[in-house]
Amino acid sequence: MEEVKAERVGIMGGTFDPIHYGHLVAAETAREAFSLDKIIFVPAGIPYFKEKTTPARHRYLMTLLAIMSNPYFEISRVDLDRGGVTYTVDTLTDLKKGLPSETKMYFITGADAILEIQNWKSPGEVLSMAEFIAATRPGYSLENLSRALGPLAAEFQERIHILEMPPMGISSTEVRQRLAKGRSVRYLLPETVITYIHNEGLYGTSQAR
Ligand code: NAP
């Protein structure tokens, strides 16, 4: 009987407020670098420790618009549908239920977020369920990673991989600030997402562009 190859699935967790080309390039770069079969984008419900974010339904729809042209990209509502604060241990547990048991999961997120992992809920369980891909901005140094991992370093450091991103330097914060000031965000995020933002009047925009 032919052996079935275990799927390698990237899990792209983030607030995506809003999603931009930096996120999309990170996902595509990770897909190639780690031979991933697909990437599932998972917009956080209520992100941990963030006071004010755009309602989850908008962040979900903007993410959907941004990924739909890539056949390797999917989106999941697990963090929205569970409700409450999003903890990655719950994200991975829920996603695992819908995947074949032999699937290898790779959680892709920003390096800054991973530096805080020791303070996440059940970090050992999280790092056992998925390997981590830390997307770094140009010039970012992850020398601090083993210090940040603390007692988890010995067991789990090998399960965290650093992925250098092409130098784009886009951030959601900058996109939000530009929108609020009425400045152009063209070429920082997909046109479909920009249109959605203006139609919904998000980030202090009005319909006039
Ligand atoms: P964040 O702290 O807002 O982001 C930290 C940095 O990473 C920012 O520079 C951000 O850039 C970047 N980033 C975020 N998601 C990324 C992605 N998927 N790919 C590349 N860069 C990314 O992080 P967050 O968005 O709130 O959380 C990231 C993920 O970690 C989420 O899935 C969240 O649920 C999880 N998390 C879990 C816990 C927990 O379990 N307790 C705690 C914190 C975070 P932009 O601002 O441009 O996006």
Side-chain angles (χ1 to χ4, degrees):
M1 212 169 76
E2 204 181 316
E3 200 184 320
V4 181
K5 201 174 127 259
E7 273 214 323
R8 297 161 66 84
V9 175
I11 314 294
M12 186 74 176
T15 304
F16 303 130
D17 193 15
I19 190 162
H20 53 67
Y21 280 127
H23 299 126
L24 296 167
V25 168
E28 187 68 1
T29 308
R31 186 181 73 76
E32 276 201 310
F34 291 84
S35 304
L36 304 177
D37 295 293
K38 65 179 175 185
I39 309 277
I40 306 175
F41 284 69
V42 194
I46 300 174
Y48 179 72
F49 233 129
K50 284 194 180 164
E51 286 187 357
K52 250 179 114 185
T53 51
T54 305
R57 70 174 193 288
H58 288 310
R59 292 185 286 103
Y60 175 85
L61 285 172
M62 289 188 283
T63 306
L64 178 63
L65 287 169
I67 64 155
M68 57 198 299
S69 63
N70 187 327
Y72 294 103
F73 288 177
E74 296 178 8
I75 188 164
S76 167
R77 293 183 54 94
V78 287
D79 286 346
L80 275 70
D81 292 344
R82 187 182 326 105
V85 172
T86 294
Y87 296 106
T88 301
V89 66
D90 301 326
T91 309
L92 295 174
T93 304
D94 287 352
L95 287 171
K96 210 166 181 266
K97 288 179 195 153
L99 295 167
S101 57
E102 63 280 9
T103 305
K104 279 194 82 172
M105 294 196 288
Y106 291 80
F107 191 81
I108 308 159
T109 196
D112 292 340
I114 292 178
L115 282 176
E116 294 293 320
I117 199 165
Q118 217 202 136
N119 304 320
W120 290 14
K121 185 175 165 190
S122 313
E125 209 181 317
V126 168
L127 283 160
S128 305
M129 274 195 278
E131 297 199 25
F132 269 64
I133 300 176
T136 64
R137 292 236 167 80
Y140 193 91
S141 157
L142 262 184
E143 275 170 22
N144 308 334
L145 183 61
S146 56
R147 205 174 331 133
L149 284 175
L152 297 167
E155 198 178 345
F156 294 115
Q157 188 148 1
E158 281 184 2
R159 291 176 64 80
I160 303 183
H161 312 278
I162 308 306
L163 185 65
E164 290 261 346
M165 289 296 121
M168 295 179 75
I170 308 172
S171 75
S172 296
T173 305
E174 191 198 342
V175 170
R176 289 195 301 272
Q177 286 170 350
R178 282 176 161 271
L179 287 163
K181 290 180 189 158
R183 294 182 61 193
S184 170
V185 292
R186 196 161 271 154
Y187 312 123
L188 299 180
L189 58 168
E191 274 295 318
T192 48
V193 179
I194 297 174
T195 302
Y196 182 92
I197 288 170
H198 283 274
N199 286 346
E200 298 292 331
L202 303 179
Y203 310 113
T205 59
S206 61
Q207 291 201 0
R209 296 176 64 183

